[in-house]
Amino acid sequence: MKKIFAAAILMLACAITFPLSVTAAGQEPGPDGREVPADDTDTLTAVGPQLPETEGAPAEVTAPDTIPQVTDPVVYIFPIRESIMPSTVRLVDKCIRESREVGADYIIIDMNTYGGLVDAADSIRTRILNHDKPIYMFVNNQAASAGALISIAADRIYMREGASMGAATVVDQTGAQVPDKYQSFMRGMMRSTAEAHGKVVDRIERGDTVWRWYRDPRIAEAMVDPSVVVPGLIEEGKVLTFSTEEAIQWHYCEGKASSIEQVLAEAGIENPTIYEYESTRTDRLMGFLTNPAFQGILIMLIIGGIYFELQTPGIGFPLTVSVAAALLYFAPLYVEGMLANWEVIVFILGIILILVEIFVTPGFGVLGIAGIVAIIIGLSFAMIDTELLKYIPDGQIPAGYIVRPVALVIIAVTASLIISIALGKRLLTTGSAVGRRVVLASEMSAEEGYVSREKDRGLVGRFGITTVPLRPSGKVLIDDRIYEAAGAHGMFIDKGKEVEIVRDEGGVLYCRPV
């Protein structure tokens, strides 16, 4: 009985104390069960350290210095308007790096491409997915094949009226589908790229949340595989290509836009500071130096300089021109990432083989031909992005990709040799102004007393004594004078033998034993 009475007194004390504590704090429970401040703020008690007060004056409260300042968003814009190649990957890397340098909050890619290489597109979509700031895609006409893979990696897609996106089946240069292993790889990349964006709330139905994919992976697969069916969108046997309206309807496009300005407006980006990628003077210079026409001129200068250097004594202006042209030819290709070390080595080896052929071995044979071939290979493959060679066997890159540079080099080398020979005959003669400067013009004629030997020394039929063995050449003593001698018909004659001179030719007395 005492326990019941004590419990009743305890419950009564709690009931009286609890409402008194709420009233004292000036709070009442909110609708979600959490406590919220009441309207009478005079009853609230300050929490935390109190500011000191000066006698007779209220405490002065100052705003903290760490209040974040609102700044205008920074947007970086760059285009992809070419076939998706390794050069496009290098462009994307450069632009993403520059966007970080300027502190860009958003990147907008102006896309217009009919496709390209699958692994190059894979590299670009990976960079987009892994970037820590939003990247928006503006499909400014076409995002086909590899372009579709890159586009669906973006956080948002905006399309121009009349634009299209899709048709990502892997084909060769003739338009024929490549084997299924390539299709499977592309299908998997499209699916995983769509899945990377996760799911969003579609609707609330009877108190339950219904989720949907932000971008439906099944639709992404339908852009590659004609066997994939999406009810209401694509039937079996057809590869999906979205129009702008269809892409918006099926959540693959966030809106229509006809310009970058409209993309910014649709995305709700107000008062942006815009940085747009523009080719620098260095980029334009690289483009000029890697132009095939200018490269042909550089090849002609390289070969022509080597030819004229071999025709003139010493090291002079032709070699300087050749070396400068070689640097202008190889350096831009190295900066662009197209040049491999072996190509320069093969080119230098070709020059060495030709020099050995000219100055060491007689005539012109295997070494000379091998040198010419090595020079052509080095110059040709320097113009070829060797990363693309692996795509030629399966037909993704046409064989003409190699044939064109090789043909350009052969034509330039042939033209340079023909022009050099023709100019050599005109310029490297004593009658021309250039020839008088670079060619020895003076002549040592016989009339002026310049002779290498006497024409007739009157020694044929004379007799002499060999002073050294003739094996077959040596020396012979005639009338106390020693002459260069050799055994006739290559015969050997011992020292101290008497010989008869049978022929005097080229400053050599040919003898036979008596």
Side-chain angles (χ1 to χ4, degrees):
M1 188 67 178
K2 290 181 180 180
K3 293 182 179 180
I4 297 174
F5 180 72
I9 293 176
L10 181 60
M11 292 176 61
L12 178 61
C14 291
I16 295 173
T17 305
F18 181 75
L20 288 176
S21 64
V22 173
T23 305
Q27 294 180 337
E28 57 185 11
D32 58 353
R34 297 179 181 179
E35 291 185 354
V36 297
D39 293 336
D40 187 4
T41 57
D42 294 337
T43 60
L44 294 177
T45 304
V47 179
Q50 303 299 307
L51 295 174
E53 294 187 9
T54 306
E55 185 177 354
E60 182 178 352
V61 180
T62 58
D65 296 332
T66 58
I67 295 178
Q69 301 295 320
V70 178
T71 59
D72 293 336
V74 178
V75 179
Y76 187 90
I77 303 169
F78 71 92
I80 296 180
R81 301 193 187 100
E82 58 187 10
S83 295
I84 308 302
M85 295 286 181
S87 59
T88 316
V89 180
R90 293 191 286 269
L91 171 66
V92 172
D93 284 337
K94 178 180 180 180
C95 291
I96 289 179
R97 184 173 61 252
E98 288 183 356
S99 74
R100 289 195 174 101
E101 291 173 356
V102 301
D105 301 296
Y106 302 90
I107 292 178
I108 297 179
I109 301 177
D110 190 345
M111 165 75 75
N112 185 15
T113 182
Y114 287 96
L117 298 178
V118 173
D119 59 350
D122 180 33
S123 298
I124 295 173
R125 70 113 192 184
T126 302
R127 286 158 173 77
I128 293 175
L129 290 174
N130 293 337
H131 190 57
D132 56 353
K133 297 296 178 64
I135 296 181
Y136 298 164
M137 190 68 61
F138 174 39
V139 180
N140 193 359
N141 196 23
Q142 298 293 340
S145 191
L149 174 62
I150 296 172
S151 295
I152 65 175
D155 296 282
R156 293 187 184 181
I157 302 173
Y158 297 91
M159 298 176 66
R160 178 185 289 276
E161 184 72 44
S164 60
M165 176 175 61
T169 303
V170 185
V171 297
D172 58 22
Q173 78 269 15
T174 64
Q177 293 188 19
V178 298
D180 185 64
K181 68 174 182 177
Y182 298 101
Q183 310 299 345
S184 176
F185 178 66
M186 186 66 170
R187 186 168 58 245
M189 280 198 300
M190 294 286 285
R191 180 179 62 252
S192 63
T193 304
E195 291 175 347
H197 295 289
K199 294 184 177 182
V200 296
V201 176
D202 186 37
R203 63 188 183 278
I204 304 296
E205 191 174 273
R206 297 179 181 177
D208 294 330
T209 303
V210 179
W211 298 81
R212 67 167 176 82
W213 287 103
Y214 183 70
R215 296 206 176 107
D216 189 342
R218 193 69 175 166
I219 292 177
E221 290 187 75
M223 293 183 181
V224 181
D225 191 346
S227 66
V228 176
V229 177
V230 179
L233 177 62
I234 189 73
E235 59 187 24
E236 186 175 0
K238 295 183 179 180
V239 175
L240 176 61
T241 299
F242 269 136
S243 67
T244 301
E245 297 294 341
E246 289 172 335
I248 293 173
Q249 178 185 352
W250 291 89
H251 309 294
Y252 264 70
C253 176
E254 276 64 44
K256 286 188 289 187
S258 59
S259 64
I260 294 293
E261 290 74 15
Q262 286 193 10
V263 171
L264 295 171
E266 287 284 336
I269 303 174
E270 299 179 354
N271 302 318
T273 300
I274 296 177
Y275 291 88
E276 188 167 3
Y277 170 77
E278 292 183 1
S279 58
T280 62
R281 291 181 179 178
T282 303
D283 294 331
R284 290 191 290 271
L285 176 61
M286 290 296 177
F288 174 75
L289 293 177
T290 54
N291 183 283
F294 186 73
Q295 286 180 315
I297 295 174
L298 291 176
I299 292 171
M300 294 177 67
L301 291 175
I302 293 171
I303 303 302
I306 294 173
Y307 173 83
F308 278 102
E309 187 63 33
L310 294 176
Q311 301 302 312
T312 56
I315 297 176
F317 179 72
L319 182 61
T320 303
V321 172
S322 182
V323 171
L327 290 175
L328 289 175
Y329 181 82
F330 288 112
L333 298 174
Y334 179 81
V335 173
E336 290 295 317
M338 298 176 61
L339 182 65
N341 293 333
W342 70 267
E343 294 158 352
V344 179
I345 294 173
V346 168
F347 171 75
I348 296 175
L349 178 62
I351 294 177
I352 293 174
L353 289 175
I354 291 178
L355 294 177
V356 170
E357 182 72 30
I358 293 175
F359 295 107
V360 179
T361 61
F364 192 83
V366 176
L367 292 180
I369 295 174
I372 293 175
V373 172
I375 288 176
I376 292 175
I377 291 176
L379 293 172
S380 300
F381 278 83
M383 300 172 64
I384 299 171
D385 193 339
T386 51
E387 292 183 21
L388 302 180
L389 298 180
K390 60 185 177 183
Y391 300 104
I392 293 178
D394 58 25
Q396 293 188 63
I397 294 293
Y401 180 76
I402 292 180
V403 173
R404 283 191 294 270
V406 173
L408 174 63
V409 171
I410 292 175
I411 292 172
V413 169
T414 304
S416 178
L417 289 175
I418 293 174
I419 294 174
S420 297
I421 293 171
L423 288 178
K425 290 182 179 181
R426 280 180 165 272
L427 299 178
L428 301 182
T429 59
T430 57
S432 66
V434 176
R436 285 193 295 270
R437 290 180 176 272
V438 300
V439 178
L440 181 64
S442 59
E443 297 181 0
M444 295 180 290
S445 62
E447 290 77 9
E448 295 177 349
Y450 294 101
V451 294
S452 61
R453 62 179 180 85
E454 297 178 17
K455 291 184 178 180
D456 185 6
R457 294 182 286 183
L459 299 176
V460 176
R462 300 282 300 272
F463 294 90
I465 302 295
T466 59
T467 59
V468 295
L470 303 184
R471 299 183 181 279
S473 62
K475 296 183 183 298
V476 65
L477 177 65
I478 302 176
D479 295 337
D480 300 325
R481 185 175 179 181
I482 296 177
Y483 297 90
E484 293 288 336
H489 307 295
M491 67 177 60
F492 286 9
I493 303 174
D494 292 334
K495 177 184 177 180
K497 296 292 184 179
E498 184 178 7
V499 293
E500 179 184 4
I501 309 303
V502 296
R503 191 168 78 251
D504 183 0
E505 185 177 289
V508 178
L509 300 177
Y510 290 89
C511 316
R512 66 182 177 185
V514 176

